[in-house]
Every structure is written in C-alpha cells, then in structure tokens.
Amino acid sequence: MDNKEKLIHSYINKKVSKNINEEHKDSLTFGDRMADKLADYAGSWSFIFTFGFLLIVWMVINSVALIRHFDPYPFILLNLVLSCLAAIQAPIIMMSQNRQEAKDRLRAQNDYEVNLKAELIIEDLHTKADKIIENQEKILKLLESQTQKQ
C-alpha cells in the first residue's frame, strides 16, 4: 500500500468534520462570553435607540430652566461620559471580533479537511472504477477471443 493509499484510508477511517461552534464555545472564558454579549448588544438597533433616547433626555433635563442644571450647555459632562464609553466599548468589541476571526479560521481549517477527504475518496473511487472498466475490457476481449476460436 503506497503513501497515498494510506492517507486515503486514514481519512476514511476517521471523522474529520467537527461542530466548530460547540468546540469554540467550550473554550470561551467568562470574560469572553460577557464581551461577546456586550458586543452583540452594542451593535444592535435597540442599543442605538435606547442610547439616543437617553442622550435626548440628558440634554432636555439640562436645557429646561425648571430644574437645576448639573451639566449645562455645551454638555461637557455628557462629552466626558461618551468619551469614556467609547474608550471602554471599542476594545471590548475588538476582542469579540478577534474571537470571531479565530472561529472563522477553525471553520476554514475544518472545511479544508472535509474537502480534502472528499477529494481523496472521489479520486480513489475514480481510480478503482477505471481499474474495474479496464478489467471488464480484458474479460470481454478474452471472451471474444474464446468465442472466435470455437
């Protein structure tokens, strides 16, 4: 048995496809899961609408003369809060994107192995089918030569 045949049989005898989502989920830490949940929420329409509503409420409260202004126009405290939020939110979203990229690499490697297995098996089957056809042609020629002798 040559090396190619050994490779084919090693792939045939083992399962190469994997559930990458389960494999990736098992390796996540508590912080990873929290960062992913925060990134999911921070990238949603509900976050945008909620945050927009809170910004409008903040500005209205600090613009109306009926109450004491804790952050009068030009809303310096609001700018500070927004800057701090962006400074914290951006790295958390980037961590989540890095994990997604790692998961995509795992999925690509798995796809490669599954495709390689399929290609090797198909090539092996094609070779065996060619040998069968070749043997059938030999048998047919042998039978034809025997019938001509009779």
Side-chain angles (χ1 to χ4, degrees):
M1 193 184 293
D2 65 344
N3 287 339
K4 189 174 184 180
E5 193 75 20
K6 287 179 184 176
L7 179 65
I8 290 169
H9 285 287
S10 72
Y11 269 104
I12 290 172
N13 295 331
K14 71 176 182 175
K15 182 179 177 183
V16 294
S17 62
K18 302 171 195 160
N19 186 345
I20 300 300
N21 294 326
E22 287 299 319
E23 194 174 297
H24 183 71
K25 190 187 332 181
D26 293 342
S27 68
L28 294 178
T29 65
F30 175 74
D32 293 340
R33 288 191 300 275
M34 291 304 296
D36 287 343
K37 287 181 182 180
L38 179 67
D40 285 343
Y41 179 68
S44 69
W45 283 107
S46 60
F47 172 78
I48 292 171
F49 290 133
T50 303
F51 202 70
F53 175 75
L54 291 174
L55 290 175
I56 291 170
V57 168
W58 181 297
M59 288 185 271
V60 167
I61 287 174
N62 285 292
S63 297
V64 175
L66 299 176
I67 59 173
R68 183 179 159 268
H69 306 292
F70 60 90
D71 185 25
Y73 182 83
F75 311 118
I76 296 172
L77 182 59
L78 177 61
N79 284 323
L80 177 65
V81 169
L82 292 175
S83 297
C84 290
L85 177 68
I88 293 169
Q89 191 179 25
I92 291 173
I93 291 171
M94 289 174 66
M95 286 188 294
S96 180
Q97 288 174 336
N98 289 340
R99 272 190 301 286
Q100 184 63 41
E101 184 181 337
K103 185 176 169 183
D104 289 343
R105 279 194 301 272
L106 286 173
R107 186 176 292 125
Q109 179 63 32
N110 185 52
D111 288 347
Y112 170 76
E113 289 180 10
V114 169
N115 291 340
L116 178 62
K117 178 179 179 177
E119 181 181 345
L120 290 171
I121 291 171
I122 290 169
E123 186 178 321
D124 185 50
L125 290 173
H126 193 307
T127 303
K128 289 176 181 175
D130 287 345
K131 286 180 183 178
I132 290 171
I133 291 170
E134 188 178 303
N135 286 338
Q136 285 180 337
E137 289 173 353
K138 287 179 184 177
I139 292 170
L140 183 61
K141 286 179 184 178
L142 182 64
L143 287 174
E144 285 176 355
S145 69
Q146 286 180 357
T147 53
Q148 287 177 357
K149 288 180 184 178
Q150 294 175 356

